[in-house]
Each structure stands twice: as structure tokens, then as C-alpha cells.
Amino acid sequence: MVDNFSLTPFVALREVLQALRGTIELTEVDTSDLGVLGEVARWTVDYLCRTHEDLGRSGDVCPYTEVAMREGLLFSAVCHVFDADPRPAMTAVMMQTMKDFESRPPRIGNKAGLKAMLVLFPSLEGEWVDDVQQELSLVFVRRGLMIGEFHAECEKAGLHNRDFRPLRSPIPLLAVRNMMLTDLAFLKDSDDKLKCYLKRFGDAALNAIGGYLRAPHDVVTPDVANRLEAAVYGVFAPDDDDEPDTK
């Protein structure tokens, strides 16, 4: 069992901002970790909840974050890993977080789409975050979830402006949320992920794929176009006996 890490309780970033203003106390979080949470809370408000000149579209950098913050559905915790290679511990933390996310209300309804959980790794390099996200991405997608990586050197390009780097944050972190119909752009490069998308959203996914093929908002390579067309025409259908990966 991996036990060479510590993880604070998850707290709503809305409450973190209140604690920084002195209107409430978060007794379960020490001063140092509260400072880390506060840095991410301020970045969330000042960056994710704002538009950006390089975004390539109108609206906030993340169109859901402001409402999620207001509803108290954006949670965060600080993780410290005590190992030269932190990836096994990070993986264990994120699998634990996945279970926490699935059991945490709301589990159904529109507000479930606003729920997100951020795990902050203030003492680690961004490359470790990239590695763990890549390792766990399909595991999460098979559960109908998305896991995303943020750090100061993240090179993933924006969907509407390939020169924009929207996933850069002051603290390395991994984010968990429910898969949404609009996530096609993040799933289209993998047969396995696209099958999960089709299985989760059915006809709505087919409509989204058709619309995306007619008017893509990012780069569509020939192999991706072929994959999406195959999905639309039923050349590969989601396997009914696919079992979620619960490792």
C-alpha cells in the first residue's frame, strides 16, 4: 500500500476565499496549506473566471467555473508526496479522489456537471502531473469522468487558438469532473475514449460528432476525421460488454 503522502480534507474554494477574508475559519487546514489553496482560489477567480485576449472565443477561460464557485461545488485539497518518484503515490491519491468524487453529491442533475475536485501538488514538477494524467486518462473516461492537468509549463494548446496555453496554473494540479457532451474535442484522438463517449451520450454524441465534422473548432487530422466518420456511420460501435476499469 502506498502511504508516503499526506492529503488535506477537500474544501470548497468558495470557503477558502471566505477564510482568507477572515469571515470563516478552516480549522482542518493549516496555515501553509491554506496559503496554497488561496493561491489557486485567486487564480481561479482572476483567470478561469475571466475572458482572455488570446482565448479565441468569447466568454470566460472556463465557462463553468464561476457558477461552480458560486454553488460551492469546486473543491480542492493539498497533497504532499514524500518520494523521489511521486507517481505511484499521485496515482493512489487520484484513484482515491475518483471514488470520493463519485460518492460526493450532487450525483445527478444539472449541478452534477458543475462539480469538480482539484488536487494540488505544490512541491512537485509539472512533468509528474503530465505523466499521471496520461496514465489515468482512460481509466477515468471509462467511468464517465475527465482528469485534467494544470501547471506553469503546460504546453497543451487551446482549442480555438493553438498559440494559447489555457492549462497553465501557479500550482501543479490534477482536476476531476464529470464528462460532458462538449468534451468531444478532448476524446476524439482515441478509439477507446470515443467509444466511451458514444456509450455515455448515445444519439446526442452522434449529433455532436456530426456537427463537429461540419464545423471543427480545432485541428482535425485525417486519422481523427476517419475515426469520427466511422463513429457516425456505425463502423465501430461501443461494445456493450466493456467493463469500467476500476484498478
Side-chain angles (χ1 to χ4, degrees):
M1 177 181 294
V2 178
D3 57 2
N4 52 344
F5 64 84
S6 66
L7 182 69
T8 68
F10 279 93
V11 294
L13 284 184
R14 181 180 67 180
E15 295 180 352
V16 171
L17 293 174
Q18 292 171 340
L20 293 174
R21 291 193 293 264
T23 57
I24 66 170
E25 289 188 20
L26 294 177
T27 57
E28 69 270 34
V29 181
D30 66 28
T31 302
S32 176
D33 288 335
L34 181 60
V36 174
L37 290 168
E39 187 171 359
V40 168
R42 286 187 289 267
W43 165 78
T44 299
V45 171
D46 295 338
Y47 174 69
L48 293 181
C49 296
R50 299 284 187 271
T51 189
H52 193 287
E53 61 183 2
D54 297 326
L55 186 57
R57 60 164 173 78
S58 61
D60 298 343
V61 171
C62 177
Y64 305 102
T65 300
E66 184 176 4
V67 180
M69 287 276 285
R70 187 167 62 245
E71 295 288 340
L73 294 175
L74 183 56
F75 304 93
S76 190
V78 180
C79 182
H80 298 285
V81 180
F82 316 110
D83 204 340
D85 182 353
R87 288 172 295 184
M90 293 172 71
T91 298
V93 168
M94 295 315 298
M95 294 302 292
Q96 176 180 318
T97 300
M98 179 178 71
K99 295 177 181 178
D100 187 344
F101 182 94
E102 291 178 331
S103 63
R104 182 182 294 260
R107 300 177 63 183
I108 59 174
N110 292 335
K111 287 189 177 181
L114 298 173
K115 181 176 62 174
M117 297 177 71
L118 314 180
V119 180
L120 317 183
F121 299 96
S123 61
L124 300 183
E125 298 295 328
E127 62 184 283
W128 302 119
V129 171
D130 290 337
D131 287 349
V132 173
Q133 189 277 337
Q134 185 173 8
E135 175 190 350
L136 292 180
S137 179
L138 182 57
V139 176
F140 275 65
V141 167
R142 285 175 172 162
R143 302 292 289 252
L145 304 176
M146 303 291 288
I147 179 171
E149 76 279 28
F150 295 77
H151 58 84
E153 297 84 28
C154 188
E155 286 297 321
K156 282 196 174 178
L159 296 179
H160 300 268
N161 178 2
R162 303 300 292 176
D163 294 325
F164 183 49
R165 301 292 180 266
L167 304 185
R168 291 186 172 174
S169 64
I171 302 293
L173 67 92
L174 287 164
V176 179
R177 61 172 175 79
N178 281 303
M179 185 192 298
M180 303 179 71
L181 189 62
T182 52
D183 284 325
L184 174 61
F186 306 115
L187 305 171
K188 62 180 173 34
D189 295 325
S190 162
D191 283 346
D192 289 333
K193 292 178 183 179
L194 190 58
K195 287 180 180 180
C196 294
Y197 179 77
L198 288 165
K199 191 170 184 177
R200 182 170 181 83
F201 296 112
D203 289 343
L206 294 175
N207 291 334
I209 292 170
Y212 185 86
L213 285 168
R214 290 190 295 273
H217 51 258
D218 61 344
V219 176
V220 179
T221 59
D223 65 309
V224 169
N226 291 337
R227 179 180 299 114
L228 295 177
E229 289 172 356
V232 170
Y233 294 110
V235 176
F236 74 83
D239 299 324
D240 291 337
D241 59 352
D242 282 348
E243 292 295 331
D245 191 334
T246 57
K247 73 175 184 178

